[in-house]
Amino acid sequence: MLVGGEAGVGKTLLLRRFCRTGAERAQVLWGGCAPMRAPRPLGPFLDVAEATGGELERLVIAEARPHEVAVALLVELRGRALTVLVLEDLHWADEATLDVLALLAARIASAPALLLASYRDDELDRTHQLRLVLGELVRRPGRMKLDALSRAGVSELAGAHGVDPEELYRRTGGNPFFVTEVLAAGGEQVPESVRDAVLARAARLSAPARGLLDAVAIIPGQLELWLLEALAGELSDRLDECLASGILAAEGRRVSFRHELARLAVEETILLERSVTLHQRAFAALAAHGAGDPDVAALAHHADAAGDIDGVLRWAPLAAARAAASGSHREAAVQYARALRLAGGLRPLERAELLEHRAEECYLSAEIDAAIDAQREALECHRQIGDALREGDALRALSRMLFFVGRTAEGEAAGEKAVELLERLPPSHALAVAYCNVSQRWMVVENAQEAETWGARALELAERLGDTEALVYALTNIGSAELCAGHQQGRDRLERALALAQRHGLEDHAARVFNSLVMWPLRLRRLAEAEGYLEDGLEYCRERGLDTWRLYLLAGRARLELNRGRWDAAADAAASVLLDPHSASLARNWALIVLGLLRARRGDDEASAPLREAHALADSTAELMRIGATAAARAELAWLAGDTAAVEHVTAVALGMAIDCRAPWVAGELAYWRWRADLHDDLPAALVAKPYRLSIAGDWAGAAELWSVIGCPYEAALALGDADEEAALRQALDKLRTLGARPAAAIVTRRLRERGVRSVPRGPRPQTRENPAGLTARELEVLALLADGLRNAQIAQRLVVSEKTVDHHVSAILRKLDVRTRGEASAVAVRLGLTSQDR
């Protein structure tokens, strides 16, 4: 159960009350996330592991990988009696914690446990990592949103305090924490903000107690009493006074503010000099206390806040390395950035190493632009030193990153320069992977001969050096080129590369192999083959925080679901890629194509916008994988819209590329849409994939049967729609209506009527239900989703339209039903039997 709500709305209180009174028979495990810029990886599971001990505690302390922690936690839960596991404040969670959450959500049903996860929904913008994770979990857990207090609730609380309830409601908006702070502070005037209310309450404390609050305020989350004593000295009666006031709360030998909003309010009032002193004390105390297993993330945090340059340069890289080892690559990138900010006094080589580590972590967490910036700086450091070997390797790494964002001309120049530089030196790992980089580029532009030539150079050098990484890299390039050409040995070579990469811990390379084993079979319409690797690949990348490759595979899932006719699932996958600001241009290109095709096939507005963006991303890359798929999608949109004149314009360049690359599935699809626009290309049979070739030749039945065998229901229906027989046309119409493909269904309906068929049924129409308000089909669809509790953003994602379009539909629904709220509209939907389950 996901519990969301604004800060101060009462999520923690609800969870604690439930665990105390509603789950009396259950054991409770509780973990919370700390509000730090780069928190300790797996933070909430440290709390849980303290209670469980055993293997889980060992793994969490060692900051193991998310999949290892998830497995150990599930083993623990399966061996216990009924358990409630609470993970609090996930909006502050590190990347590894979110990965564990995703894995737990998928498997929690195997344990006698309830997982409760709370988060602030008012702090999640469209790009927040938790929002992206929640998008993937949307169909699994339940959801609860806590709302603020009503006017009546505020009035009831204010009754005994002599405060104007209307004024209190107006100022607080019914936020429970704000309301209770105002009432606890006393006074006739209602403060303007939560901060003012907290400070008014704190002002009633003695000066020594107020000083203790400052010490607690500089530590995010809970702090143990030994640390508080190190910060503030003898606690004596001061702590009792703070606890009695209700500003602080104690749990065992730990103390914290009752709410993070209160801590922030107090922290903001601490003078800079005192804040620095307190952070220095915290840093010294933690360093002395954690000699055996120091909390390196906390040490880096306090060293930074104290302005301790040496402390930051010592502890931030260690915190980054630990975060990277546990799969929290975003947190690792932040820690390296923290060190680099203060690294002006380091020697060029030391600075270059920090920059290259940051570039790698940014790359792995799909922050490619930041990775490129860091890699460029590292390259300049190596040039300044005059180290040709490191300079060549840095050029090769920069080249690869540039390819990821579609800056192909720059990437090719950097890759060629790297080889030129490294070939002047003795044979090395750097040269082997530089050869691999060039081979990869030739593979991506589908020049199999050059890809294999450069791959063979890399393979020979890798075997001579005993270099496993270069061997895997070369095998991946050669195997991908062979698989793209439809040769079975390519798949065998890729499986060998995958086994080697996994055995030797080459995670980035393993993820890339998964990508090849999904994307090329999708191109060849070997859907079952792609499906066989897709989920394993996604799980592998999610467990290890490999977001760059996870987003590629998620885009592949979107295309697979589109081909399979599972359009809602395709929409969800595409939206997840597009909502993530770190999606590389290729993953974004594929997702935009899926989104554009879904909108076009459903007859929705705004179908052209994503395809225009996809074209802009693909146009300069010289990569058929992007250009061909984008051109085919734009041609389909033009045909569905009746603009056959546009088909030639959008397909001409891509068709020439497909012919040059000898890519029959790309050439065949483009030739097929050109044929529908009455453009006839005289292509060799070997250059047109069989189902397209059958349709162009007039064998609609053979094409439809072959598409059905492949598993593409939309394409099979289009092929049937070319028939002259009424029965086949009716079958095509039924299939298209089932899919929700309104424009294509309209085309087939016209064909039936042109052949004199007058009894063409209108098909299942939502308006045939009781619909006294005259809602349109799309408005009924939106109403059904409203009744299921979906918010506008979720409805937009499900229907593959913009949120603004959904806003318009909701306004129209409220007006036509003559109701004021979404709840009232939902009640009408339930009464009419219009929930999505019914539909």
Side-chain angles (χ1 to χ4, degrees), residues 210-421:
R210 182 67 178 78
L212 185 67
L213 283 188
D214 291 349
V216 180
I218 69 143
I219 306 290
Q222 295 182 322
L223 74 161
E224 295 185 37
L225 291 181
W226 70 263
L227 179 55
L228 183 55
E229 288 177 342
L231 292 175
E234 177 60 39
L235 302 180
S236 63
D237 296 331
R238 294 181 295 162
L239 180 57
D240 290 337
E241 184 180 351
C242 291
L243 293 171
S245 74
I247 298 177
L248 296 185
E251 185 176 343
R253 294 190 57 78
R254 293 180 178 180
V255 177
S256 66
F257 276 83
R258 187 166 68 89
H259 198 281
E260 174 65 9
L261 291 175
R263 187 191 72 81
L264 290 173
V266 172
E267 185 184 33
E268 288 171 1
T269 68
I270 303 174
L271 296 176
L272 178 60
E273 184 177 355
R274 175 159 171 73
S275 175
V276 168
T277 299
L278 288 170
H279 280 291
Q280 287 172 338
R281 291 177 186 171
F283 176 74
L286 287 168
H289 185 80
D293 181 30
D295 185 343
V296 290
L299 284 164
H301 168 78
H302 290 295
D304 194 7
D308 184 340
I309 295 175
D310 291 339
V312 170
L313 292 178
R314 177 185 178 187
W315 295 108
L318 290 175
R322 282 203 181 182
S326 68
S328 287
H329 297 293
R330 295 181 195 279
E331 285 69 33
V334 169
Q335 294 287 13
Y336 282 124
R338 172 177 273 161
L340 283 162
R341 186 163 43 81
L342 302 174
L346 292 181
R347 292 177 299 168
L349 180 57
E350 293 172 321
R351 181 172 173 80
E353 288 174 347
L354 284 176
L355 284 163
E356 287 179 324
H357 284 310
R358 172 162 165 79
E360 178 70 8
E361 295 308 313
C362 287
Y363 160 76
L364 290 173
S365 54
E367 298 179 23
I368 307 298
D369 289 336
I372 289 171
D373 291 342
Q375 190 63 40
R376 281 196 190 280
E377 285 192 58
L379 174 61
E380 289 306 313
C381 288
H382 293 311
R383 283 175 175 162
Q384 180 182 342
I385 298 167
D387 188 331
L389 180 64
R390 288 177 181 267
E391 180 185 347
D393 198 41
L395 274 167
R396 184 270 315 165
L398 177 61
S399 168
R400 188 180 182 202
M401 292 171 188
L402 289 166
F403 288 142
F404 265 93
V405 293
R407 293 159 63 176
T408 53
E410 294 175 77
E412 288 171 353
E416 291 167 6
K417 179 67 175 174
V419 169
E420 179 187 338
L421 198 60

Side-chain angles (χ1 to χ4, degrees), residues 668-709:
E669 185 174 13
L670 294 167
Y672 170 77
W673 291 116
R674 290 166 65 85
W675 166 72
R676 287 199 171 280
D678 208 24
L679 299 168
H680 301 283
D681 301 291
D682 187 17
L683 300 179
L687 272 183
V688 181
K690 188 172 181 180
Y692 294 120
R693 188 167 72 244
L694 291 174
S695 280
I696 293 170
D699 185 359
W700 55 265
E705 182 179 358
L706 189 50
W707 281 121
S708 295
V709 170

